[in-house]
Amino acid sequence: MSSYVHRTPCKQSDTLNKVTGQQVFMKLENLQKTGSFKVRGAMNKVASLTELECKRGIIAASAGNHAQGVALAGKKKGVDVTIFMPLSTPETKVNATREYGAEVVLTGESFDEAYAAACKKQEETGAVFIHPFDDLKIIEGQATAALEMLQQCPHLERIFVPAGGGGLLAGTALAVKALKPSVKVIGVQSASAPAIAASFFGQASSEVPFLPTIAEGIKVKSPGKLTTSIINKYVDDMVTVTEGEIAKAILFMLEREKMMVEGAGAAGIAALLSNTLAPFSGQTGVIVSGGNFDAAKLGKCIELAGEVKEPKRKLII
């Protein structure tokens, strides 16, 4: 798979270190092919398909990044790909998916509705369905980001990982606990859609909010059964971040690091910037999972960030 995905850099930001008072290493999956870690799992899954399965074609459902990963993987393998995406998917992600050669069907108001439509179509056609997160091959592929990170930053003591359906978080947890179990794995979700965090802490699903979020890439109402079981067993903690905190993290990365990072990709940075975490003196890793941000939402991002009170700490120049 290494010939099809980038070994993305793991770098520090002097500004982020000063603002948080920590040594933070960012795994920049926003610089990955297709602009997201999702291509790792997609490549691993598509590579495992038999010739007969490939002839049947591929169907997937996605809020955007999985779509691009599957589309590229299918193109490399010479397989026809159809992707079902929510109507609210950013135009940049829709266009990119089409440019990779996939047929795109826009339907439903959320990922879950697009997913249901994709499942129905799969039953009708017999195509191979590639789940965005609840598949061991997908999880194994996503785990390669953490494997690289442990090689690049061997002294990490904890890693923050954004989570929606849980594929990246589950993969990270499996990789880290197998190779260096002392490293803490901490999942991060939007407070607007915290299904995994709620499950982790034993909250009833009927009490979990499912609201609009600028981090549409991790807006999943029903996380996977496989991913949830892995997360509940191996993940050390879960935290949530507000819309304003995510927006501030997006702007921080744009202004300070000159990088466009999407809401899901900024979630881990948001957790570190939120000033709600206990002081930590060790090395911290954070997976910046994607960079496919819809520039049309920048105004909304600025508005949300303006609603957040500044933390009571000073930037040391």
Side-chain angles (χ1 to χ4, degrees), residues 57-249:
I58 291 170
I59 286 179
S62 171
N65 288 334
H66 178 63
Q68 293 174 66
V70 172
L72 178 58
K75 183 178 181 180
K76 294 289 186 182
K77 190 87 168 180
V79 183
D80 292 334
V81 177
T82 302
I83 309 287
F84 285 72
M85 306 175 80
L87 293 167
S88 59
T89 304
E91 187 176 355
T92 53
K93 294 183 178 181
V94 174
N95 291 339
T97 303
R98 287 174 173 150
E99 287 171 7
Y100 285 124
E103 178 185 353
V104 175
V105 179
L106 293 173
T107 183
E109 298 301 323
S110 66
F111 162 77
D112 296 270
E113 292 181 7
Y115 173 79
C119 289
K120 182 178 179 181
K121 187 67 173 180
Q122 187 275 331
E123 290 176 358
E124 295 172 354
T125 63
V128 175
F129 186 84
I130 297 185
H131 200 283
F133 45 82
D134 212 27
D135 182 298
L136 188 57
K137 290 293 184 182
I138 293 290
I139 293 169
E140 290 172 347
Q142 317 306 24
T144 61
L147 292 175
E148 290 177 8
M149 200 173 189
L150 291 176
Q151 294 169 352
Q152 294 164 315
C153 311
H155 302 298
L156 291 178
E157 295 180 37
R158 62 179 185 175
I159 301 176
F160 285 81
V161 187
L168 179 61
L169 180 55
T172 299
L174 287 175
V176 169
K177 298 307 178 182
L179 294 179
K180 200 169 182 181
S182 63
V183 175
K184 303 295 184 185
V185 177
I186 304 166
V188 185
Q189 288 207 285
S190 165
S192 297
I196 291 177
S199 171
F200 186 85
F201 292 112
Q203 184 178 357
S205 58
S206 60
E207 301 173 0
V208 181
F210 188 63
L211 305 170
T213 173
I214 197 169
E216 77 284 336
I218 53 174
K219 184 186 177 184
V220 177
K221 187 174 185 180
S222 303
K225 292 181 180 179
L226 177 58
T227 56
T228 298
S229 66
I230 294 170
I231 289 165
N232 288 345
K233 184 174 181 179
Y234 294 111
V235 169
D236 296 285
D237 201 1
M238 294 288 306
V239 297
T240 60
V241 286
T242 67
E243 292 301 291
E245 289 167 343
I246 295 171
K248 286 197 69 172

